């Protein structure tokens, strides 16, 4: 069971990183002004980043407990706490801009800033989980 949980967690992390890259491509292409692309970006962000990330967070917490890592493991805490800014960026920057484009407007630079920041945070979390420092 532990091996399956570990593989699921790792596979979801790769998928999360891939979706973050896809969101960046969508935001840099027609996702800024085409409502059709904005719908794709909305689904990709909501299901691919937020929901997938939350599921991976829960699986990570289960792994933390099952592996018996101490509660003072700093890189696990940093990874968990870094998910907060992803949620805030999604709610404050990405979602309003995507809704604006879906309503017929054009996104501002806030969309790209939010998507890039989410990608960078996901990359840092991914790096911490892969390296397991200290």
């Amino acid at each position: 069971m532990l091996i399956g949980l570990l593989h699921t967690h790792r596979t979801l992390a790769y998928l999360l990183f891939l979706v973050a890259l896809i969101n960046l491509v969508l935001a840099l292409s027609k996702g800024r002004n085409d409502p059709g692309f904005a719908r794709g970006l909305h689904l990709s962000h909501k299901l691919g980043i937020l929901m997938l990330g939350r599921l991976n967070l829960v699986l990570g917490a289960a792994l933390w407990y099952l592996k018996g890592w101490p509660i003072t493991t700093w890189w696990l805490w940093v990874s968990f706490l870094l998910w907060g800014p992803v949620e805030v960026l999604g709610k404050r920057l990405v979602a309003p801009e995507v809704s604006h484009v879906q309503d017929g407007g054009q996104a501002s630079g806030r969309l790209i800033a939010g998507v890039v920041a989410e990608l960078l945070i996901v990359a840092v979390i991914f790096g911490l989980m892969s390296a397991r420092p200290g």
Side-chain angles (χ1 to χ4, degrees):
M1 180 179 124
L2 186 61
I3 298 296
L5 189 62
L6 182 62
H7 285 301
T8 303
H9 181 66
R10 187 169 290 148
T11 302
L12 289 178
Y14 282 116
L15 188 59
L16 182 65
F17 189 75
L18 177 66
V19 170
L21 284 173
I22 290 170
N23 282 354
L24 180 62
V25 170
L26 286 173
L28 289 174
S29 66
K30 292 185 177 183
R32 295 187 67 183
N33 54 12
D34 184 358
F37 273 81
R39 273 190 285 283
L41 180 59
H42 173 73
L43 285 175
S44 174
H45 184 261
K46 185 176 182 179
L47 298 176
I49 296 291
L50 297 178
M51 292 298 173
L52 192 64
R54 291 170 187 157
L55 175 62
N56 216 13
L57 198 67
V58 169
L59 291 176
L63 273 171
W64 190 351
Y65 174 75
L66 292 173
K67 288 282 245 178
W69 282 317
I71 196 77
T72 58
T73 308
W74 70 270
W75 52 274
L76 289 171
W77 278 111
V78 170
S79 298
F80 269 95
L81 293 176
L82 278 175
W83 188 252
V86 172
E87 292 283 341
V88 171
L89 288 167
K91 183 179 179 181
R92 301 285 182 192
L93 292 181
V94 178
E97 292 294 318
V98 170
S99 288
H100 183 65
V101 173
Q102 285 179 324
D103 292 338
Q106 186 169 358
S108 66
R110 293 174 53 143
L111 175 64
I112 293 175
V115 170
V116 167
E118 284 181 343
L119 175 62
L120 290 175
I121 292 170
V122 166
V124 168
I125 293 171
F126 191 80
L128 282 171
M129 293 294 105
S130 297
R132 298 182 193 166

